[in-house]
Amino acid sequence: QNTLNRESLARAEYRHKENAFQFFGSIEGALNRLTGEAELISGGIPVPIGGSDVHVTERRAEAAIGVTWQVAKNFVLEGSLRGEYSAIRSTGDASQDGDFFFVKPRLRLSWDNRRTRIQATLEREAAQLDFQDFVASAELDRDDVVAGAFSLKPPTTWSFVTVLERRFWDRGALTPTFRRERIDDVIDRVVVETDGELFDAVGNIGRARRTIFRTELTAPLDRFGLDGMEIRADLTLLRSRVTDPITGKKRAISEDKPFE
Protein backbone atom coordinates (compact mmCIF):
# COMPACT_ATOMS: atom_id res chain seq x y z
CA GLN A 1 0.00 0.00 0.00
CA ASN A 2 1.20 3.49 -0.82
CA THR A 3 -0.71 6.73 -0.32
CA LEU A 4 0.19 10.40 -0.62
CA ASN A 5 -1.98 13.14 0.93
CA ARG A 6 -1.69 16.85 0.21
CA GLU A 7 -3.76 19.72 1.58
CA SER A 8 -3.69 23.46 0.90
CA LEU A 9 -5.87 25.81 2.93
CA ALA A 10 -6.52 29.56 2.94
CA ARG A 11 -8.83 31.39 5.34
CA ALA A 12 -9.80 35.00 6.05
CA GLU A 13 -11.87 36.22 9.01
CA TYR A 14 -13.48 39.51 9.97
CA ARG A 15 -14.83 40.48 13.40
CA HIS A 16 -16.40 43.72 14.58
CA LYS A 17 -17.88 44.58 17.97
CA GLU A 18 -20.43 47.30 18.49
CA ASN A 19 -22.10 47.71 21.88
CA ALA A 20 -23.87 44.43 22.72
CA PHE A 21 -23.32 42.94 19.26
CA GLN A 22 -20.34 41.22 17.71
CA PHE A 23 -20.44 40.52 13.98
CA PHE A 24 -18.23 38.05 12.20
CA GLY A 25 -17.66 36.66 8.74
CA SER A 26 -15.20 34.29 7.09
CA ILE A 27 -14.18 32.85 3.74
CA GLU A 28 -12.25 29.60 3.41
CA GLY A 29 -10.88 27.69 0.44
CA ALA A 30 -9.21 24.27 0.41
CA LEU A 31 -7.60 21.97 -2.12
CA ASN A 32 -7.19 18.35 -1.01
CA ARG A 33 -5.52 15.63 -3.07
CA LEU A 34 -4.80 11.96 -2.53
CA THR A 35 -2.99 9.41 -4.68
CA GLY A 36 -3.28 5.82 -3.55
CA GLU A 37 -2.00 2.46 -4.77
CA ALA A 38 -2.58 -0.98 -3.29
CA GLU A 39 -1.69 -4.48 -4.40
CA LEU A 40 -2.93 -7.73 -2.87
CA ILE A 41 -1.22 -11.06 -3.60
CA SER A 42 -2.49 -14.31 -2.09
CA GLY A 43 -0.49 -17.50 -2.54
CA GLY A 44 1.56 -15.82 -5.24
CA ILE A 45 -1.57 -14.90 -7.23
CA PRO A 46 -2.64 -11.23 -7.65
CA VAL A 47 -6.15 -10.59 -6.30
CA PRO A 48 -8.12 -7.83 -8.11
CA ILE A 49 -9.63 -5.38 -5.61
CA GLY A 50 -11.49 -2.14 -6.15
CA GLY A 51 -9.68 1.02 -5.10
CA SER A 52 -6.20 -0.29 -5.83
CA ASP A 53 -5.27 2.65 -8.07
CA VAL A 54 -7.03 5.98 -7.41
CA HIS A 55 -6.44 9.71 -7.55
CA VAL A 56 -8.88 11.94 -5.65
CA THR A 57 -9.13 15.74 -5.75
CA GLU A 58 -11.45 17.97 -3.73
CA ARG A 59 -11.94 21.70 -4.18
CA ARG A 60 -13.91 23.18 -1.32
CA ALA A 61 -15.10 26.71 -0.50
CA GLU A 62 -17.05 27.98 2.50
CA ALA A 63 -18.48 31.38 3.41
CA ALA A 64 -19.97 32.26 6.80
CA ILE A 65 -21.73 35.19 8.46
CA GLY A 66 -22.99 35.51 12.01
CA VAL A 67 -23.75 37.68 15.00
CA THR A 68 -23.39 37.30 18.75
CA TRP A 69 -25.79 39.31 20.93
CA GLN A 70 -25.12 39.95 24.62
CA VAL A 71 -28.80 40.04 25.57
CA ALA A 72 -28.12 40.46 29.28
CA LYS A 73 -25.21 40.20 31.67
CA ASN A 74 -25.42 36.41 31.85
CA PHE A 75 -27.27 35.63 28.62
CA VAL A 76 -25.79 35.38 25.09
CA LEU A 77 -27.54 34.55 21.82
CA GLU A 78 -25.50 33.50 18.78
CA GLY A 79 -26.67 32.83 15.24
CA SER A 80 -24.69 32.00 12.11
CA LEU A 81 -25.17 30.75 8.57
CA ARG A 82 -22.55 28.89 6.54
CA GLY A 83 -22.60 27.81 2.94
CA GLU A 84 -20.21 25.14 1.70
CA TYR A 85 -19.51 24.02 -1.87
CA SER A 86 -17.26 21.10 -2.73
CA ALA A 87 -16.32 19.40 -5.99
CA ILE A 88 -14.89 15.88 -5.70
CA ARG A 89 -13.21 14.18 -8.64
CA SER A 90 -11.89 10.61 -8.46
CA THR A 91 -10.12 8.79 -11.27
CA GLY A 92 -8.71 5.28 -11.60
CA ASP A 93 -10.73 2.20 -10.69
CA ALA A 94 -12.89 4.25 -8.28
CA SER A 95 -14.41 6.90 -10.50
CA GLN A 96 -16.53 9.73 -9.07
CA ASP A 97 -17.52 13.17 -10.30
CA GLY A 98 -19.69 14.95 -7.72
CA ASP A 99 -20.61 18.51 -6.77
CA PHE A 100 -22.17 19.24 -3.40
CA PHE A 101 -23.63 22.34 -1.75
CA PHE A 102 -24.65 22.47 1.91
CA VAL A 103 -26.35 25.20 3.94
CA LYS A 104 -25.30 24.99 7.62
CA PRO A 105 -27.25 27.18 10.09
CA ARG A 106 -26.50 27.35 13.81
CA LEU A 107 -28.36 28.83 16.78
CA ARG A 108 -26.82 28.86 20.26
CA LEU A 109 -28.15 30.10 23.61
CA SER A 110 -25.79 30.47 26.58
CA TRP A 111 -26.38 31.42 30.20
CA ASP A 112 -23.43 31.78 32.58
CA ASN A 113 -23.26 33.15 36.14
CA ARG A 114 -19.64 32.02 36.76
CA ARG A 115 -20.67 29.08 38.94
CA THR A 116 -23.07 27.50 36.46
CA ARG A 117 -23.11 27.50 32.67
CA ILE A 118 -26.02 26.26 30.55
CA GLN A 119 -25.76 26.07 26.77
CA ALA A 120 -28.11 24.81 24.06
CA THR A 121 -27.11 24.51 20.38
CA LEU A 122 -29.08 23.57 17.29
CA GLU A 123 -27.05 23.24 14.09
CA ARG A 124 -26.54 21.46 10.81
CA GLU A 125 -23.09 20.10 9.97
CA ALA A 126 -21.52 18.53 6.89
CA ALA A 127 -18.68 16.06 7.47
CA GLN A 128 -15.46 16.07 5.47
CA LEU A 129 -14.77 12.86 3.57
CA ASP A 130 -11.83 10.70 4.59
CA PHE A 131 -10.01 10.16 1.29
CA GLN A 132 -8.41 7.01 2.67
CA ASP A 133 -11.84 5.41 2.20
CA PHE A 134 -11.30 5.55 -1.57
CA VAL A 135 -8.18 3.38 -1.34
CA ALA A 136 -8.17 -0.39 -0.76
CA SER A 137 -6.62 -1.54 2.51
CA ALA A 138 -5.77 -4.83 4.19
CA GLU A 139 -5.12 -5.98 7.76
CA LEU A 140 -3.64 -9.38 6.96
CA ASP A 141 -3.15 -10.38 10.58
CA ARG A 142 -6.94 -10.11 10.97
CA ASP A 143 -7.75 -11.42 7.48
CA ASP A 144 -9.60 -8.16 6.84
CA VAL A 145 -9.58 -6.76 3.30
CA VAL A 146 -11.54 -3.58 2.51
CA ALA A 147 -12.10 -2.39 -1.04
CA GLY A 148 -11.95 1.29 -1.89
CA ALA A 149 -15.19 3.26 -2.08
CA PHE A 150 -16.56 3.74 -5.59
CA SER A 151 -18.67 6.80 -4.73
CA LEU A 152 -19.16 8.74 -1.51
CA LYS A 153 -21.35 11.64 -0.46
CA PRO A 154 -20.47 13.74 2.63
CA PRO A 155 -22.83 12.92 5.53
CA THR A 156 -24.90 15.78 6.96
CA THR A 157 -26.09 15.97 10.55
CA TRP A 158 -28.79 17.92 12.34
CA SER A 159 -27.85 18.00 16.02
CA PHE A 160 -29.28 19.37 19.25
CA VAL A 161 -26.82 19.68 22.14
CA THR A 162 -27.36 20.78 25.73
CA VAL A 163 -24.49 21.33 28.15
CA LEU A 164 -24.65 21.96 31.89
CA GLU A 165 -21.40 22.92 33.59
CA ARG A 166 -21.27 23.24 37.37
CA ARG A 167 -18.02 24.71 38.68
CA PHE A 168 -16.66 24.14 42.19
CA TRP A 169 -13.43 24.45 44.20
CA ASP A 170 -12.07 27.23 41.95
CA ARG A 171 -10.83 24.86 39.19
CA GLY A 172 -13.26 21.96 39.53
CA ALA A 173 -16.19 21.24 37.21
CA LEU A 174 -18.88 18.64 36.58
CA THR A 175 -20.15 18.80 32.98
CA PRO A 176 -22.97 16.55 31.71
CA THR A 177 -23.75 16.82 27.97
CA PHE A 178 -26.72 15.48 26.01
CA ARG A 179 -26.53 15.25 22.21
CA ARG A 180 -29.17 14.05 19.74
CA GLU A 181 -28.29 13.61 16.06
CA ARG A 182 -30.11 12.84 12.82
CA ILE A 183 -27.54 11.83 10.21
CA ASP A 184 -28.25 11.65 6.47
CA ASP A 185 -26.07 9.62 4.07
CA VAL A 186 -24.27 7.76 6.86
CA ILE A 187 -20.91 6.31 5.83
CA ASP A 188 -20.60 2.68 6.92
CA ARG A 189 -19.69 -0.79 5.62
CA VAL A 190 -21.20 -2.13 2.39
CA VAL A 191 -20.45 -5.11 0.13
CA VAL A 192 -18.96 -4.76 -3.37
CA GLU A 193 -18.09 -7.32 -6.03
CA THR A 194 -14.84 -7.32 -8.00
CA ASP A 195 -14.25 -10.08 -10.57
CA GLY A 196 -16.60 -12.42 -8.74
CA GLU A 197 -15.00 -11.76 -5.33
CA LEU A 198 -17.01 -10.11 -2.52
CA PHE A 199 -15.27 -7.46 -0.42
CA ASP A 200 -16.16 -5.15 2.43
CA ALA A 201 -16.11 -1.52 1.37
CA VAL A 202 -17.11 1.91 2.61
CA GLY A 203 -20.30 3.55 1.33
CA ASN A 204 -23.38 5.63 2.15
CA ILE A 205 -26.20 3.55 3.64
CA GLY A 206 -28.96 6.09 4.40
CA ARG A 207 -30.29 7.82 7.50
CA ALA A 208 -29.36 7.13 11.12
CA ARG A 209 -30.10 8.49 14.55
CA ARG A 210 -27.62 8.76 17.40
CA THR A 211 -28.06 9.70 21.05
CA ILE A 212 -25.06 10.52 23.23
CA PHE A 213 -24.85 11.25 26.95
CA ARG A 214 -21.45 12.28 28.25
CA THR A 215 -20.36 13.56 31.63
CA GLU A 216 -16.92 14.89 32.59
CA LEU A 217 -15.47 15.56 36.03
CA THR A 218 -12.42 17.60 37.01
CA ALA A 219 -11.70 17.70 40.77
CA PRO A 220 -8.58 19.53 42.04
CA LEU A 221 -7.06 18.08 45.23
CA ASP A 222 -5.35 21.23 46.56
CA ARG A 223 -7.67 21.48 49.56
CA PHE A 224 -6.59 17.99 50.60
CA GLY A 225 -2.93 19.00 50.67
CA LEU A 226 -2.13 17.56 47.24
CA ASP A 227 -1.13 20.77 45.46
CA GLY A 228 -1.13 20.59 41.67
CA MET A 229 -2.93 17.24 41.57
CA GLU A 230 -6.43 16.59 40.28
CA ILE A 231 -8.80 13.78 39.40
CA ARG A 232 -10.23 13.63 35.89
CA ALA A 233 -12.96 11.21 34.82
CA ASP A 234 -15.39 10.92 31.93
CA LEU A 235 -18.26 8.62 31.02
CA THR A 236 -19.97 8.28 27.63
CA LEU A 237 -23.14 6.35 26.79
CA LEU A 238 -24.03 6.11 23.09
CA ARG A 239 -26.86 4.55 21.13
CA SER A 240 -27.20 4.67 17.35
CA ARG A 241 -29.64 3.01 14.94
CA VAL A 242 -29.30 2.55 11.18
CA THR A 243 -30.81 0.11 8.69
CA ASP A 244 -28.30 -2.48 7.51
CA PRO A 245 -28.19 -2.46 3.68
CA ILE A 246 -27.77 -6.25 3.49
CA THR A 247 -30.13 -7.63 6.15
CA GLY A 248 -32.63 -4.75 6.21
CA LYS A 249 -32.56 -4.86 10.02
CA LYS A 250 -31.78 -2.07 12.47
CA ARG A 251 -28.32 -2.05 14.05
CA ALA A 252 -25.74 0.32 15.52
CA ILE A 253 -23.46 2.35 13.27
CA SER A 254 -20.23 0.41 12.78
CA GLU A 255 -17.47 1.26 15.27
CA ASP A 256 -19.85 3.18 17.55
CA LYS A 257 -18.99 2.25 21.11
CA PRO A 258 -22.06 2.02 23.41
CA PHE A 259 -20.00 2.62 26.57
CA GLU A 260 -16.70 4.31 27.29
Side-chain angles (χ1 to χ4, degrees):
Q1 302 178 61
N2 181 33
T3 59
L4 175 63
N5 283 291
R6 288 167 289 181
E7 179 180 26
S8 302
L9 180 69
R11 180 179 176 86
E13 287 190 3
Y14 171 79
R15 293 184 180 273
H16 174 70
K17 188 172 183 179
E18 186 172 332
N19 300 323
F21 296 91
Q22 179 172 306
F23 304 92
F24 63 90
S26 66
I27 298 176
E28 181 177 295
L31 174 61
N32 301 312
R33 290 172 289 180
L34 175 141
T35 300
E37 298 176 348
E39 184 179 6
L40 178 62
I41 298 174
S42 178
I45 301 174
V47 179
I49 180 172
S52 59
D53 181 14
V54 295
H55 178 75
V56 188
T57 301
E58 179 193 34
R59 291 176 171 84
R60 177 169 49 86
E62 180 183 88
I65 57 173
V67 60
T68 300
W69 179 22
Q70 187 79 41
V71 182
K73 180 181 179 182
N74 301 327
F75 185 56
V76 176
L77 174 63
E78 177 188 337
S80 65
L81 183 64
R82 289 173 165 80
E84 177 186 312
Y85 169 77
S86 63
I88 299 176
R89 307 288 184 262
S90 175
T91 58
D93 56 2
S95 179
Q96 175 175 348
D97 189 348
D99 295 84
F100 307 99
F101 179 74
F102 303 108
V103 177
K104 303 183 292 183
R106 180 172 69 178
L107 180 65
R108 174 173 290 169
L109 306 174
S110 301
W111 182 84
D112 193 337
N113 70 350
R114 295 188 178 182
R115 300 293 294 179
T116 302
R117 178 176 67 93
I118 301 174
Q119 187 177 84
T121 305
L122 175 66
E123 66 179 331
R124 186 184 190 225
E125 303 166 285
Q128 301 301 314
L129 294 179
D130 183 353
F131 285 178
Q132 296 286 352
D133 290 338
F134 288 92
V135 184
S137 63
E139 298 289 343
L140 299 183
D141 57 331
R142 297 188 303 168
D143 197 24
D144 185 19
V145 179
V146 180
F150 286 92
S151 179
L152 285 179
K153 183 178 180 180
T156 57
T157 302
W158 277 103
S159 65
F160 177 71
V161 185
T162 56
V163 179
L164 170 63
E165 182 181 28
R166 180 62 179 177
R167 306 179 184 106
F168 60 92
W169 297 352
D170 296 330
R171 294 184 293 109
L174 177 64
T175 310
T177 301
F178 174 81
R179 181 180 179 94
R180 177 70 170 170
E181 299 178 344
R182 192 198 76 181
I183 312 169
D184 292 309
D185 299 309
V186 174
I187 291 180
D188 206 302
R189 290 292 183 93
V190 297
V191 175
V192 297
E193 182 180 352
T194 303
D195 290 349
E197 293 280 347
L198 296 179
F199 294 97
D200 275 346
V202 177
N204 299 105
I205 65 171
R207 177 174 293 180
R209 297 186 183 275
R210 180 188 282 140
T211 303
I212 304 171
F213 176 77
R214 178 179 175 84
T215 186
E216 299 172 272
L217 171 68
T218 300
L221 303 179
D222 297 9
R223 60 180 53 209
F224 301 107
L226 301 174
D227 294 346
M229 295 186 66
E230 63 184 17
I231 292 176
R232 290 189 180 184
D234 63 82
L235 169 71
T236 301
L237 302 175
L238 183 152
R239 186 177 188 270
S240 60
R241 306 300 290 170
V242 67
T243 301
D244 188 279
I246 304 301
T247 66
K249 297 181 180 180
K250 294 288 186 179
R251 62 166 173 82
I253 298 174
S254 296
E255 299 183 8
D256 271 5
K257 297 179 180 180
F259 175 81
E260 288 188 272

